[in-house]
Amino acid sequence: MAQPIKVIQKTELTEEQKKMQSLENLLSGVAENKDSLLETLNLLQELHDSGILDAFGSLLKAKEKAAKIAVGQFTRQPVTNMINNAMAAGGILTELNPETTSKLAKSLTAGLKKAEQGLKEDSKIGIFDLMKALKDPDINRVLGFGFNLLKGMGEGLKE
């Protein structure tokens, strides 16, 4: 009958063997990723040649000063106003129906094209042209839209 194993011997690698194994793993990784490493090196060389790498290194060395300057710029009144306005505009856009916004943008584009065409013709509009235009269904539609827009804005300003 066989004797039971009572002691398991671990093979301990020497410091030199560990270094050699790490070096072999590193070389294997380099060989497997040769193309991406070469591309990265080319990119780094381009950044170095253009001076961007030096600028980025200097920025990292002066990170505390740069952070103070950035925070100082972001806390200026015009910048905080811009951020607040952008957030308010974003809030408004979330409430709008995308189909209506798209339709309005397309009609605005068509209107701008028509207005540009009218500028090229340089025709004068008289009082009778205005009265005749009020009967045009397209003009009447946009006037109704505009009046309703103004009415809604007025109601909103009242609150």
Side-chain angles (χ1 to χ4, degrees):
M1 183 160 221
Q3 296 289 335
I5 298 174
K6 295 181 181 178
V7 177
I8 298 176
Q9 264 187 338
K10 287 186 179 180
T11 55
E12 290 288 323
L13 297 177
T14 66
E15 208 48 47
E16 188 67 28
Q17 288 172 326
K18 288 179 185 178
K19 285 181 184 179
M20 287 301 289
Q21 191 175 30
S22 293
L23 190 57
E24 287 173 13
N25 288 339
L26 183 61
L27 287 174
S28 173
V30 168
E32 289 173 11
N33 298 298
K34 178 189 88 162
D35 293 336
S36 60
L37 285 171
L38 288 174
E39 195 172 319
T40 302
L41 287 173
N42 287 334
L43 178 64
L44 281 173
Q45 186 61 47
E46 288 292 326
L47 290 172
H48 175 72
D49 292 345
S50 66
I52 293 173
L53 200 58
D54 290 336
F56 191 66
S58 297
L59 180 64
L60 284 176
K61 288 177 186 171
K63 62 185 169 246
E64 286 185 30
K65 289 180 184 176
K68 284 180 185 177
I69 291 170
V71 168
Q73 291 298 314
F74 280 122
T75 57
R76 288 186 10 227
Q77 184 70 30
V79 176
T80 56
N81 284 347
M82 181 187 67
I83 292 169
N84 289 335
N85 287 335
M87 289 174 58
I92 290 169
L93 290 174
T94 60
E95 294 179 19
L96 296 177
N97 182 352
E99 291 175 14
T100 304
T101 306
S102 176
K103 189 175 185 179
L104 185 60
K106 288 177 185 173
S107 65
L108 180 62
T109 303
L112 289 172
K113 287 179 183 175
K114 193 77 162 177
E116 188 177 354
Q117 181 183 7
L119 280 176
K120 289 178 183 174
E121 293 172 3
D122 197 30
S123 60
K124 305 291 181 206
I125 297 177
I127 209 94
F128 289 113
D129 295 320
L130 285 173
M131 303 221 4
K132 189 173 144 185
L134 287 174
K135 292 182 181 179
D136 184 327
D138 293 330
I139 291 178
N140 202 291
R141 186 176 309 110
V142 82
L143 285 174
F145 181 84
F147 284 135
N148 285 320
L149 175 68
L150 292 172
K151 175 83 171 144
M153 286 176 66
E155 289 171 356
L157 289 173
K158 186 172 48 177
E159 294 174 2

